[in-house]
Structures are given as C-alpha cells and as structure tokens.
Amino acid sequence: MSFISNLINGLSLGSMYALIALGYTMVYGIAKMLNFAHGDVIMVGAFTMFTAAATLKFSPAISIIAGIIVCTLLGVIIEKIAYKPLRKASPLTVLITAIGVSYFLQSLALLIFGSNQKSFPMLFNFEPIRVNEDLILKSDSLMTMGVTILIMVALTLFINKTKTGRAMLAVSEDKGAAELMGVNVNKTISITFAIGSSLAAVAGLFFGLTYGFIGPYTGAMPGIKAFVAAVLGGIGNIPGAMLGGILLGVIENLSKAYISTELSDAIVFAVLIIVLLVKPTGLMGKKINEKV
Amino acid sequence: MAMLRVENLEVFYGVIRAIKGVSFEVNEGEVIALIGANGAGKTTILHTITGLIQPHAGKIEFEGHDLVKTPAYKIVQMGMAHVPEGRRIFQQLTVLENLRLGAFTRKSNSEIQASLKRVYRSFPRLEERKNQVAGTLSGGEQQMLAMGRALMSDPKIILMDEPSKGISPLIVMEIFNMIREISSGGTTVLLVEQNAKKALEISNRAYVLETGKIALEGNAEELMNNENVKKAYLGE
C-alpha cells in the first residue's frame, strides 16, 4: 500500500510543479519569453504568507489572500518595469534581464528575512486520513491536488470561454493580427503575468505546507523543475504544462522511494533529455508551422 | 472631405527611408488601388495606417481623427479593418473562433450574429467549415476567412493587402468579385496589389508607388491606358 501513498505524494508534488509550469508556459506562449524570475515569485508568495500569519498574526485565509495579491501585483510590476521596455529587444537580452530579476528578488528576501530558513506556519490543521492500517493519506497532499484540479478546470474554461481568454490565444499566435482585431496586447500580457504569478503564490503556499521551511532560495529549484515540466509538456501549451508537471512530480517521488533519493533529480532531468531527443517540441507541443 | 488622408508620410526601417513622403486620399465609397512592384512600400503604408508601424513624419487622418497617435488596437473600433498580407489568420483556432475575434471590440451580440450571417452568405464555404481548424483551410479559403474576419468588425473602410497573392487564378476571380460586392455594400476599399491589372479593373482611382514615392496617380481607366503603366505593370 505504500506505493499508493508514494503515488499520491508524487501527484501532489506534481500538482505544485504544474501550477508553476502554467505560469512559465502562459508567459512564454504570449510574451515569447522565459521568465526565469517566476520561481522566485513562489518564494515571495510564501514569505508574504509567512509574514502575515506568523509575524502579523492574521488569520490563515487573510494571509493566503495577501500572498496571492502581493504576487499578482509583483508579476505585473516586474513585467512593466523589467520586460515591457524590452519588447523589441533580442531574446537573449530579455533572458538575462529575467535572471537579473530573479537574483534581485532573492537578494531582497535575503536582506529582509536573513539567510536562515524560516518555519512556515501550519495554516491548516488537518488530520491525516486513515484509509486502513497501511494506507494513511496526508490531507495537505489531497488538498494540493484538489485545489490544483479546480484551478486547471477554471483556467481552461477562462481561456476557452471568455473574451480575455480568446484574446490571449490570439496574441499567443500573432500579436500584430491580434492588434488588428482590436486586442490590447499590452493589457493581455499584463493579465497573463497576473494569472501566472497568482498561481505561483498558490504554489508557494503548497511548498510551505509540504516542506515546512522557507528561505530566500526556496523558489529556485521548484522554479527550474517547473520549467523542465513546461518544456517536457511542450512550452507554450497549457495542457502540456499540466501533464508535464504532474509527470515530473510522480517520477521524482517514485524514484525517491524506489531507486535513490540522491539520484531522483538526475532521473528527472534525464527524462527531460530523453523526451526532447525523441520529441523536440515536448509531449504535447505542436509542430511549428513554417510561414510561406 | 476625404475619409482617409495620408500626407507626406515618411517611414524608416532602421536607417533606410522606406516611404519617402507619400500623400494620397480615399473618399467615402471609393475603391482605391495602391499598385507597385515588390518592395515599393505598399505593405509598409498599410501597416503604418493601422498603427503596426510608427511613421517618422507625416499625417494620417481618418474621419478627422489623427491615426498616428492612436494605438493599433483602437483603430478597428473607429471603423477601419485591415486584411493583412499573408492573411495572418489564427491558424490554431477554428473558422468560427477567427470570425468571432474579428468582432472582438463589438458589444452587441445580436449585431455580431447579424454580421456572422452576412459573412456566411457572402462566403458559404466558411459556414460549411466553421468548426474546422483554420490552419487546415486552403489558401483561397484562408483569404476568404481573413476577409470575413475583417468584415465582422462592420468596418466603414477595409484595407486589403495583396488578396490575390499565392492563390489559384480561379479563386482570385472570386475574391475580386467579393471586393466589388463589399464595395457595393457601402464599404470603402483601399486595395494594395501587385496584380495591377486586376486591381485597376475594380478600382475608381489608383496610385502607382515606386520605391517609396508616388510615381503616378489618376483614374483607374486612365492609368490602364497609360503607356508607362502598361509597360511596367500590365505586361503589355
């Protein structure tokens, strides 16, 4: 029965990667840039919730909402200040800027909170669910999965059914043509950053709850892995990011349980390399149409 | 007063002066052709009018509004639609989704439905394929979709960039008939074409563009009989 609990923990970890990967993939799809500061937004979200709940003694609900709002604003501000002026610059310039923003956020957190890990407040006091003697499920794992599924359904509906969602699809395919339809491209890019960053805040919450500790570099590794998940699924593709994230979490957790804890990251990255060798556009990536 | 007036327009690509002081006007109800060889600057002019490129100097006025200072996404709301070169339909979306994006700035659902019906009447093939992914359409069908998408904004003027490019001659006929129909429906047309003969056949007046400057202008009929035009553009 431990296999089932390992699998569920893997799915939960994968849900967290999927949430982060969605931010990477949506921003890539619409702004055609890799926002390497995205991982650090998770850290900002976690620290905001930590400060609100542990230092300022706000209720869990208010702390979580505060974290989401701060991250949403942060995402929009980063885009406005750091990336928007570079809309016509080379991709390399934008990439280096994103790495700069990442270091900036890490250093800022280091300055404010110091380098010691902080213990993340237990915002929920769920009892583990005892299915039978052998199978005990962690409630926060189940919550992570449940919330992620809800978010994915909502996001899919939003993109396919709302006007803003359709504007996002149009911008991701052809910015100029979207503008000719009357779509405000700058506003659409801002909305994309807002959505991606709010999902990162939720991921920050799950990270804090799962690991119990947060620090200035908390976002770096999940950020990189979520990026791997986005590429694995096919960067720019939303269902691909969901699939990639969940697969990655499951592979990582099962390798930890059955192969080796030390090797689990190596296995994760090896899977990426193999997938890209076989299918360079990722699992669900579309073939890029050559314009005639 | 002219509906659309372009005055001394200058556009740079980096250090290259692509448009060197172009002036022309389009009156309501006219079909105006902008003809010229590849690289003469026709597409650049259209892109500058609809705000995709910023001019270096000059004026663009549409019904008294200064278009140079208007962001591209606001121009369609003023009643100007642009069918871009290469069609640029949204390949991964369905035909219907493409058409709906054409009506992106319109609020009234019943008006959108009415436009949709009109587009389907003009292009029955689009209705047959409404749930098909646009990237799988043939070149001619994609051109029809691009035109239908522009019509979904219910424009006063429609800018058309090389509608005959890369399309089989039979479909080209159909497309030019449609342009005529759009015009007789009351929509003003500014047409950019390499196929000068076809363009002159359906237009009232025309401007001949040569390396970023207007070389000739006049009635379509006059230009068709002009010796220089015949030699350079009509292959006679």
Side-chain angles (χ1 to χ4, degrees):
Chain A
M1 275 303 138
S2 72
F3 175 75
I4 294 186
S5 67
N6 280 327
L7 184 67
I8 289 183
N9 289 340
L11 287 171
S12 152
L13 181 66
S15 304
M16 194 174 77
Y17 290 152
L19 282 180
I20 310 167
L22 281 171
Y24 268 113
T25 228
M26 285 170 75
V27 164
Y28 181 83
I30 284 165
K32 299 285 176 281
M33 66 160 290
L34 292 171
N35 178 18
F36 272 120
H38 188 58
D40 302 291
V41 177
I42 305 164
M43 177 271 295
V44 172
F47 267 113
T48 309
M49 293 176 201
F50 163 81
T51 308
T55 315
L56 304 171
K57 308 288 180 206
F58 284 127
S59 72
I62 292 182
S63 307
I64 292 169
I65 292 170
I68 293 174
I69 292 174
V70 166
C71 284
T72 307
L73 292 177
L74 180 67
V76 173
I77 292 168
I78 289 174
E79 196 276 323
K80 280 261 169 335
I81 294 178
Y83 305 146
K84 196 181 163 194
L86 301 175
R87 209 52 66 71
K88 293 201 171 90
S90 82
L92 195 60
T93 312
V94 184
L95 189 72
I96 291 166
T97 306
I99 294 171
V101 173
S102 166
Y103 280 124
F104 173 77
L105 293 176
Q106 289 175 6
S107 308
L108 197 67
L110 197 62
L111 211 63
I112 299 173
F113 297 100
S115 60
N116 289 336
Q117 299 257 319
K118 299 271 183 289
S119 133
F120 195 75
M122 281 299 117
L123 297 172
F124 304 100
N125 253 329
F126 293 144
E127 291 293 315
I129 297 165
R130 195 177 287 271
V131 180
N132 60 34
E133 288 303 299
D134 303 315
L135 183 59
I136 300 164
L137 301 177
K138 281 197 270 175
S139 308
D140 41 358
S141 297
L142 296 178
M143 185 187 72
T144 303
M145 282 191 305
V147 171
T148 303
I149 291 169
L150 278 182
I151 287 176
M152 286 174 178
V153 171
L155 191 65
T156 308
L157 286 177
F158 173 78
I159 287 174
N160 291 309
K161 299 287 174 209
T162 67
K163 219 171 164 178
T164 311
R166 268 177 295 155
M168 287 166 78
L169 291 175
V171 172
S172 81
E173 231 192 284
D174 187 336
K175 274 198 196 90
E179 276 200 298
L180 292 181
M181 301 300 112
V183 173
N184 184 342
V185 170
N186 283 329
K187 197 175 116 197
T188 309
I189 291 176
S190 278
I191 293 171
T192 308
F193 270 84
I195 294 174
S197 307
S198 63
L199 298 184
V202 178
L205 167 70
F206 294 154
F207 184 93
L209 291 176
T210 308
Y211 294 98
F213 288 95
I214 55 169
Y217 306 112
T218 282
M221 201 56 187
I224 291 290
K225 285 194 189 147
F227 170 62
V228 169
V231 174
L232 189 68
I235 190 123
N237 183 300
I238 288 173
M242 299 176 184
L243 178 73
I246 287 168
L247 268 182
L248 209 70
V250 170
I251 293 170
E252 184 181 328
N253 228 40
L254 293 184
S255 338
K256 264 187 191 147
Y258 298 109
I259 302 173
S260 146
T261 312
E262 288 80 16
L263 278 179
S264 70
D265 283 350
I267 293 170
V268 163
F269 289 106
V271 168
L272 172 78
I273 292 169
I274 293 166
V275 169
L276 290 186
L277 282 176
V278 179
K279 202 163 181 292
T281 52
L283 292 172
M284 299 184 77
K286 289 194 181 99
K287 214 180 75 195
I288 296 150
N289 291 330
E290 287 289 327
K291 267 199 187 141
V292 187
Chain B
M1 205 187 86
M3 186 183 210
L4 174 67
R5 215 176 67 217
V6 173
E7 230 180 85
N8 297 320
L9 191 69
E10 279 189 45
V11 183
F12 276 76
Y13 273 126
V15 290
I16 298 160
R17 200 160 126 226
I19 304 298
K20 305 162 184 164
V22 163
S23 302
F24 65 93
E25 48 183 55
V26 182
N27 298 308
E28 198 176 341
E30 281 184 317
V31 177
I32 299 297
L34 216 55
I35 58 178
N38 217 349
K42 307 182 301 288
T43 297
T44 305
I45 291 176
L46 289 198
H47 279 185
T48 313
I49 294 174
T50 44
L52 294 180
I53 301 175
Q54 282 303 307
H56 177 72
K59 268 198 221 162
I60 306 170
E61 263 181 26
F62 176 55
E63 296 192 316
H65 300 282
D66 179 2
L67 288 196
V68 174
K69 292 196 180 72
T70 314
Y73 73 93
K74 282 192 177 153
I75 286 172
V76 65
Q77 249 168 312
M78 299 165 74
M80 180 183 281
H82 182 166
V83 183
E85 187 184 15
R87 309 180 271 277
R88 291 171 75 170
I89 54 160
F90 301 106
Q91 307 247 353
Q92 293 173 26
L93 304 183
T94 65
V95 169
L96 182 59
E97 284 168 333
N98 267 279
L99 291 174
R100 288 195 163 280
L101 273 163
F104 187 77
T105 57
R106 295 173 73 189
K107 302 272 185 292
S108 155
N109 211 22
S110 58
E111 282 174 35
I112 294 173
Q113 285 306 323
S115 291
L116 192 60
K117 266 200 193 123
R118 224 171 312 146
V119 168
Y120 282 158
R121 209 167 34 232
S122 309
F123 303 103
R125 225 171 311 178
L126 294 182
E127 186 167 21
E128 284 163 31
R129 302 188 174 217
K130 63 181 171 189
N131 295 318
Q132 197 171 320
V133 174
T136 62
L137 299 178
S138 72
E141 287 164 349
Q142 292 193 11
Q143 184 61 46
M144 291 177 194
L145 179 56
M147 285 164 73
R149 185 180 66 175
L151 290 171
M152 286 299 289
S153 67
D154 196 21
K156 296 175 198 162
I157 183 168
I158 188 162
L159 276 48
M160 261 184 258
D161 199 347
E162 306 273 9
S164 73
K165 202 173 181 182
I167 287 170
S168 74
L170 214 66
I171 310 280
V172 169
M173 282 239 302
E174 211 175 304
I175 285 186
F176 275 89
N177 284 338
M178 266 319 298
I179 298 173
R180 216 176 244 151
E181 203 177 297
I182 290 168
S183 161
S184 59
T187 309
T188 309
V189 177
L190 174 59
L191 173 67
V192 152
E193 258 296 343
Q194 268 190 70
N195 188 337
K197 191 161 184 278
K198 281 266 169 225
L200 290 174
E201 272 170 21
I202 64 163
S203 49
N204 304 107
R205 294 187 297 119
Y207 295 85
V208 180
L209 205 64
E210 266 169 23
T211 55
K213 271 192 236 152
I214 304 265
L216 265 173
E217 58 179 280
N219 281 331
E221 223 166 298
E222 274 170 36
L223 288 177
M224 251 193 287
N225 295 319
N226 179 301
E227 286 306 317
N228 291 330
V229 173
K230 271 185 182 172
K231 241 185 257 156
Y233 301 103
L234 303 176
E236 283 171 22

